[in-house]
């Protein structure tokens, strides 16, 4: 009688395990459910026998639920692996494009290209952790090299442009000194020379705008307007003298 009670108790325990297994068979919590099936299997082994026919039936149900879950898990893992491989190919292509651009000196176009590559990277799914770390390292190293070179370039360019500003400021100051000169020949030659020097000097920082050129040009125009007025005055005086002699 005690043995029969034990077998009934064991059957109830195994029925409970089977029902848990069947409830978990459609789970998508892959790690948590895998661990749970291991625990249920260990519990099953610790439970004693029950009626043989019923024990076999319960075992088959338990195994069927367990197999269904692990088959789904295998299919899921295969799908994830395929996605990772596809994503790896996409990200590898992005890395190669980034590395091809790192020596570029087309600053604006390449900056925009890197922004577009980053957007594509963000839209691409995950790859395996190890491969993902390697690709990301290569991608960022290429990008950083370009932007560090760009920063150095524009830092040096700013210095050059500031120097250009000082050179043009000196030319403007000289034009201001000459604009009231009455030494027409020498001043004209120097004004022409100042303009030639101006053309040889590169751009100045945009923050200064066009004001310096406008002021420089205004000084030149003022001088040549005075020169033209003086010529007309001398011409008129000469005509008056000829008329007086006549």
């Amino acid at each position: 009688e005690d043995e029969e009670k034990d077998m009934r108790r064991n059957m109830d325990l195994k029925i409970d395990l089977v029902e848990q297994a069947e409830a978990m068979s459609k789970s998508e919590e892959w790690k948590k459910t895998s661990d749970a099936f291991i625990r249920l299997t260990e519990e099953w082994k610790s439970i004693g026998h029950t009626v043989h026919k019923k024990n076999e039936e319960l075992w088959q149900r338990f195994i069927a639920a367990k197999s269904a879950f692990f088959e789904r898990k295998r299919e899921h893992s295969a799908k994830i692996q395929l996605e990772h491989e596809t994503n790896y190919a996409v990200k590898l292509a992005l890395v190669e494009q980034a590395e091809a651009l790192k020596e570029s000196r087309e600053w604006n176009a390449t900056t925009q290209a890197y922004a577009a590559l980053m957007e594509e990277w963000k839209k691409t799914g995950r790859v395996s952790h190890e491969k993902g770390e390697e690709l990301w390292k290569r991608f960022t190293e290429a990008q950083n090299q370009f932007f560090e070179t760009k920063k150095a370039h524009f830092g040096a360019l700013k210095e050059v442009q500031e120097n250009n500003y000082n050179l043009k400021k000196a030319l403007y100051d000289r034009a201001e000194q000459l604009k009231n000169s009455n030494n027409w020949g020498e001043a004209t030659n120097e004004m022409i020379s100042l303009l030639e020097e101006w053309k040889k000097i590169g751009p100045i920082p945009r923050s200064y705008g066009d004001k310096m050129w406008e002021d420089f040009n205004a000084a030149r125009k003022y001088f040549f307007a005075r020169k033209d007025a003086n010529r007309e005055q001398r011409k008129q005086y000469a005509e008056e003298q000829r008329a007086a002699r006549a």
Side-chain angles (χ1 to χ4, degrees):
E1 186 177 346
D2 289 340
E3 185 178 355
E4 186 179 346
K5 286 181 180 179
D6 287 342
M7 292 179 70
R8 283 199 300 269
R9 181 179 61 82
N10 292 342
M11 184 172 68
D12 289 340
L13 292 173
K14 289 186 175 181
I15 288 172
D16 181 58
L17 294 182
V18 167
E19 289 174 349
Q20 289 184 60
E22 290 175 338
M24 294 190 305
S25 65
K26 295 184 179 180
S27 170
E28 293 186 354
E29 296 182 73
W30 309 111
K31 178 65 171 64
K32 179 180 177 180
T33 307
S34 295
D35 293 341
F37 267 113
I38 293 172
R39 177 180 54 79
L40 290 183
T41 303
E42 291 302 315
E43 287 186 31
W44 184 283
K45 292 177 182 179
S46 69
I47 299 171
H49 291 292
T50 183
V51 178
H52 178 73
K53 183 177 180 181
K54 193 66 177 176
N55 188 75
E56 184 62 23
E57 176 190 332
L58 292 173
W59 175 247
Q60 291 303 321
R61 285 174 60 188
F62 182 82
I63 287 299
K66 183 177 179 181
S67 298
F69 168 76
F70 281 102
E71 177 61 22
R72 290 177 54 251
K73 180 182 178 181
R74 186 192 63 76
E75 292 173 354
H76 171 76
S77 297
K79 180 182 177 183
I80 292 299
Q81 183 177 356
L82 180 60
E83 289 177 356
H84 282 182
E85 290 173 357
T86 302
N87 294 339
Y88 176 82
V90 173
K91 287 190 171 181
L92 179 59
L94 296 177
V95 166
E96 290 171 348
Q97 291 179 61
E99 290 176 337
L101 289 170
K102 67 183 181 181
E103 303 288 347
S104 173
R105 297 298 179 266
E106 297 181 14
W107 308 115
N108 291 335
T110 306
T111 297
Q112 293 173 7
Y114 271 117
L117 289 178
M118 182 61 79
E119 287 303 312
E120 286 299 316
W121 185 282
K122 291 177 181 178
K123 289 190 288 186
T124 306
R126 299 175 62 184
V127 301
S128 63
H129 178 73
E130 184 178 342
K131 290 183 177 180
E133 286 292 316
E134 177 193 351
L135 289 176
W136 178 245
K137 181 181 178 183
R138 287 174 60 187
F139 184 84
T140 53
E141 283 179 351
Q143 185 173 239
N144 290 343
Q145 178 177 328
F146 167 76
F147 282 106
E148 285 171 7
T149 305
K150 178 183 176 182
K151 182 180 178 181
H153 167 78
F154 281 102
L157 180 62
K158 184 176 180 181
E159 291 182 10
V160 170
Q161 290 182 341
E162 287 290 346
N163 186 56
N164 291 343
Y165 172 81
N166 293 330
L167 293 174
K168 288 186 174 181
K169 179 69 165 54
L171 296 180
Y172 160 69
D173 291 342
R174 181 56 183 158
E176 280 289 309
Q177 293 172 359
L178 285 173
K179 72 179 184 180
N180 291 311
S181 174
N182 292 326
N183 193 344
W184 307 111
E186 289 184 10
T188 297
N189 291 335
E190 191 169 352
M191 278 291 190
I192 294 171
S193 178
L194 290 178
L195 181 60
E196 291 302 315
E197 286 299 315
W198 186 284
K199 292 177 180 178
K200 293 175 186 177
I201 300 171
I204 64 175
R206 290 183 179 180
S207 57
Y208 294 115
D210 296 326
K211 188 174 187 309
M212 180 168 288
W213 163 249
E214 293 168 356
D215 291 345
F216 174 75
N217 206 32
R220 292 180 63 256
K221 287 181 177 179
Y222 180 81
F223 168 76
F224 284 109
R226 287 182 60 248
K227 180 182 178 182
D228 290 342
N230 177 264
R231 183 187 301 111
E232 289 297 320
Q233 186 178 22
R234 286 187 285 110
K235 180 180 178 182
Q236 183 178 356
Y237 177 78
E239 290 176 353
E240 290 174 354
Q241 289 298 310
R242 282 198 297 272
R245 288 195 295 272

